[in-house]
Amino acid sequence: IDMGPGVYFNLRSPLPNKCFDYVAAGLAVAINDMGEMSSLIREYGFGVICPSNDPRQMADLLNALTVEDIDLMKRNAIIARQELNADKEMEKLLGLYRSL
């Protein structure tokens, strides 16, 4: 398999719609360290990040969460959805179009 320079960028940079669906629903998110998604979780605090792809490590991370931890992440998702939504992104896109 060719793992040229563009492949690594494409693997680290996606922001799947599901991530935004979960934030819009006010849900906590648990992921492995996935570049841009990790950046959003760190910035807004709406989830946890497992440092590896090891299912046991993810299970340990999830099992260590308290009800309070999960509630805080859910509240943070509700706050984050005020910024991380299609309306806000459309404003940015329209601004770019207008500037052209």
Side-chain angles (χ1 to χ4, degrees):
I1 296 174
D2 179 12
M3 296 297 275
V7 173
Y8 184 73
F9 175 80
N10 289 337
L11 291 173
R12 300 278 303 163
S13 300
L15 287 167
N17 286 341
K18 280 295 174 205
C19 178
F20 297 101
D21 292 343
Y22 298 150
V23 169
L27 299 174
V29 177
I31 64 168
N32 63 342
D33 197 358
M34 297 180 63
E36 292 305 313
M37 282 180 54
S38 298
S39 297
L40 289 177
I41 288 175
R42 286 184 184 102
E43 180 176 350
Y44 292 97
F46 58 79
V48 293
I49 303 164
C50 184
S52 77
N53 290 327
D54 180 4
R56 287 171 289 190
Q57 196 169 10
M58 177 64 86
D60 291 342
L61 179 66
L62 294 175
N63 286 329
L65 294 173
T66 65
V67 171
E68 293 80 15
D69 294 333
I70 295 168
D71 285 344
L72 177 61
M73 288 184 281
K74 289 165 56 177
R75 285 193 304 275
N76 288 342
I78 290 168
I79 294 167
R81 73 182 177 198
Q82 304 304 313
E83 291 295 319
L84 303 176
N85 63 67
D87 291 335
K88 289 282 186 178
E89 293 303 311
M90 189 56 67
E91 289 173 18
K92 293 177 192 176
L93 183 60
L94 291 174
L96 287 171
Y97 287 147
R98 287 184 192 110
S99 70
L100 296 174

